[in-house]
Amino acid sequence: MDIKEINSHLDLVLAKAEKDLEEVTELKDLQAVKVSYLGKKGPLKAAMKYMKDLSNEEKPLLGQAINKVQEAINEKIEALQVHLEEKALEEALEKDALDVTLPGRKHATGHRHVLVHIMEDIEDLFVEMGYQVVEGYEIESDHYNFEMMNLPKNHPARDMQDTFYITDEVLLRTHTSPVQARTMEAHDFSKGPLKMISPGRVFRRDDDDATHSHQFHQIEGLVVSKDVTLADLKGTLDLLAKELFGYDRATRLRPSYFPFTEPSVEVDVSCFKCGGEGCHVCKGTGWIEILGCGMVHPHVLEMAGVDPKEYQGFAFGIGADRIAMLKYEIEDIRHLYQNDQRFLNQF
Ligand code: FA5
Ligand code: MG
């Protein structure tokens, strides 16, 4: 072969390389084409074998011609590589695109339970009237839960407040009334009268129904001073009822019995469901009992170290769950304890 023929052979190699490169659409195929033309076993390295056929003048021309084609192919490969890399990047960006306009996921935030709201509202009302808030014990002694409340062992009224016993002497309290005795014992009456409320959880062996739960909430109230009367109690409860329910719902006081108060009264509010006609919520009576109260029994004062000849007091125990039911027209007390978000989120 002379140099002319070699040149036209090299032109063919270049033309074939260009054609091959046109068909490359993926980076991974580009490498293969590169190796096949520019590698050790490629047609350009092979063209060196024509060197021996050429004259001394023509020899340098062969190197130049091979270099020219090699550079031309290399340029095309590099340009294609840049192009394919850009294309790959664009595709990846498109594929992994993040749509920042999509609405985010909402985090559910918790809030206080409706019973906590009710108890705080009632606390606020009494704190405004100068009452202190006292905390009691959910696990109580028989002594404070019953005996100090004038319910000695074997007293028949214990039947109405059966409970969960931990030992013979330690139990889950059946009402918040033991806080009365504990607070009276601790109070220094030389510094003035005692006015306290005590909200908390109580427990009873009651059968669950629309208005009864074996675990519920009470708010105890106690005022002990030298001149407090039943009229003060009635005025206080009137205010409470109006604050809680407004003027349109009827309340009634009904004579009752508690061993720790004399006289004793229970307060009912007209049923929200039937308006007094009688229904399953109020068990046909038209009324829902919200609290028990009365004048503190002289013996209860005496047991707590308060002289009943000098002092008298009134006390009440509000059923907080019943207040929530009446205020928000909750038909079944069990809703308060089942943690159904559809229920809880309404408050
Ligand atoms: C008492 O527990 C007395 N300690 C209240 C008291 C305090 C009277 C101070 C006098 C002086 P009673 O058992 O009636 O009373 O309960 C008081 C209130 O708790 C009831 O009016 C009612 O609203 C609520 N209650 C009673 N049992 C349940 C129950 N199982 N589930 C939900 N609420 C209840
Ligand atoms: Mg009662």
Side-chain angles (χ1 to χ4, degrees):
M1 280 229 240
D2 63 18
I3 189 75
K4 253 191 168 162
E5 287 169 320
I6 294 171
N7 270 335
S8 63
H9 166 69
L10 288 174
D11 284 347
L12 282 177
V13 170
L14 177 59
K16 178 137 192 309
E18 282 172 346
K19 201 165 158 281
D20 284 355
L21 285 172
E22 263 169 35
E23 273 158 32
V24 171
T25 56
E26 304 274 348
L27 270 171
K28 62 176 173 19
D29 301 330
L30 184 62
Q31 189 58 25
V33 175
K34 188 176 177 178
V35 170
S36 72
Y37 283 95
L38 306 181
K40 280 192 198 117
K41 289 172 184 160
L44 294 181
K45 283 274 172 314
M48 290 300 279
K49 72 178 182 246
Y50 301 123
M51 192 67 90
K52 63 178 180 346
D53 302 334
L54 297 177
S55 66
N56 279 346
E57 295 85 64
E58 282 175 330
K59 276 188 166 90
L61 296 179
L62 175 65
Q64 282 167 22
I66 290 175
N67 271 347
K68 225 178 94 199
V69 174
Q70 180 167 324
E71 265 165 36
I73 294 176
N74 208 20
E75 249 172 50
K76 294 216 181 298
I77 288 174
E78 271 170 16
L80 187 57
Q81 174 151 1
V82 170
H83 170 73
L84 288 177
E85 275 171 1
E86 273 172 8
K87 198 177 116 204
L89 180 64
E90 259 166 42
E91 278 170 8
L93 283 176
E94 204 166 298
K95 190 164 140 266
D96 301 337
L98 202 119
D99 185 353
V100 292
T101 65
L102 276 176
R105 272 194 209 105
K106 258 207 185 133
H107 287 280
T109 42
H111 57 82
R112 281 171 303 170
H113 194 277
V114 57
L115 276 171
V116 176
H117 278 298
I118 288 282
M119 294 206 284
E120 285 181 354
D121 285 353
I122 296 174
E123 265 176 49
D124 286 349
L125 176 69
F126 282 101
V127 166
E128 272 173 38
M129 295 193 281
Y131 287 61
Q132 54 167 316
V133 181
V134 179
E135 245 184 281
Y137 302 116
E138 290 177 6
I139 297 174
E140 202 28 296
S141 62
D142 184 276
H143 177 72
Y144 279 105
N145 194 79
F146 289 130
E147 303 211 6
M148 291 292 277
M149 289 290 106
N150 223 10
L151 280 148
K153 292 211 163 56
N154 302 319
H155 191 291
R158 282 195 178 206
D159 277 358
M160 292 190 294
Q161 298 192 13
D162 194 10
T163 184
F164 306 90
Y165 282 82
I166 291 150
T167 69
D168 282 350
E169 295 301 324
V170 180
L171 45 83
L172 296 186
R173 68 176 176 185
T174 58
H175 50 178
T176 43
S177 297
V179 187
Q180 285 186 32
R182 289 185 178 276
T183 315
M184 278 192 282
E185 279 182 339
H187 188 73
D188 180 356
F189 281 91
S190 72
K191 297 220 167 92
L194 166 62
K195 291 169 86 176
M196 72 101 194
I197 57 159
S198 182
R201 196 181 320 208
V202 302
F203 310 84
R204 283 188 201 177
R205 208 220 65 85
D206 274 358
D207 287 326
D208 290 0
D209 63 25
T211 55
H212 290 82
S213 168
H214 56 278
Q215 172 199 297
F216 57 104
H217 295 77
Q218 287 188 343
I219 299 162
E220 194 76 9
L222 173 68
V223 174
V224 180
S225 82
K226 288 183 174 163
D227 50 14
V228 69
T229 70
L230 190 66
D232 296 314
L233 173 60
K234 188 166 184 290
T236 305
L237 296 178
D238 258 4
L239 180 72
L240 175 73
K242 279 176 185 147
E243 280 286 325
L244 287 172
F245 305 116
Y247 287 80
D248 55 336
R249 215 168 272 160
T251 57
R252 73 172 183 188
L253 303 188
R254 176 166 46 79
S256 183
Y257 170 76
F258 297 104
F260 35 95
T261 47
E262 184 58 42
S264 300
V265 176
E266 282 182 318
V267 176
D268 300 336
V269 177
S270 62
C271 179
F272 63 85
K273 177 81 177 167
C274 61
E277 296 284 303
C279 69
H280 74 278
V281 177
C282 57
K283 293 208 203 71
T285 64
W287 298 93
I288 294 177
E289 182 194 320
I290 57 160
L291 62 87
C293 61
M295 298 305 290
V296 180
H297 195 289
H299 190 224
V300 170
L301 292 173
E302 210 167 23
M303 282 189 286
V306 182
D307 183 358
K309 288 189 197 78
E310 220 186 322
Y311 286 93
Q312 47 199 333
F314 69 69
F316 53 83
I318 307 168
D321 308 67
R322 302 272 181 92
I323 303 288
M325 292 178 71
L326 283 158
K327 198 169 163 79
Y328 296 116
E329 311 200 343
I330 299 164
E331 284 182 30
D332 197 311
I333 194 170
R334 287 165 287 202
H335 288 313
L336 293 170
Y337 297 103
Q338 284 164 344
N339 281 334
D340 186 331
Q341 299 223 352
R342 290 168 301 180
F343 171 80
L344 294 176
N345 287 340
Q346 295 177 58
F347 306 101

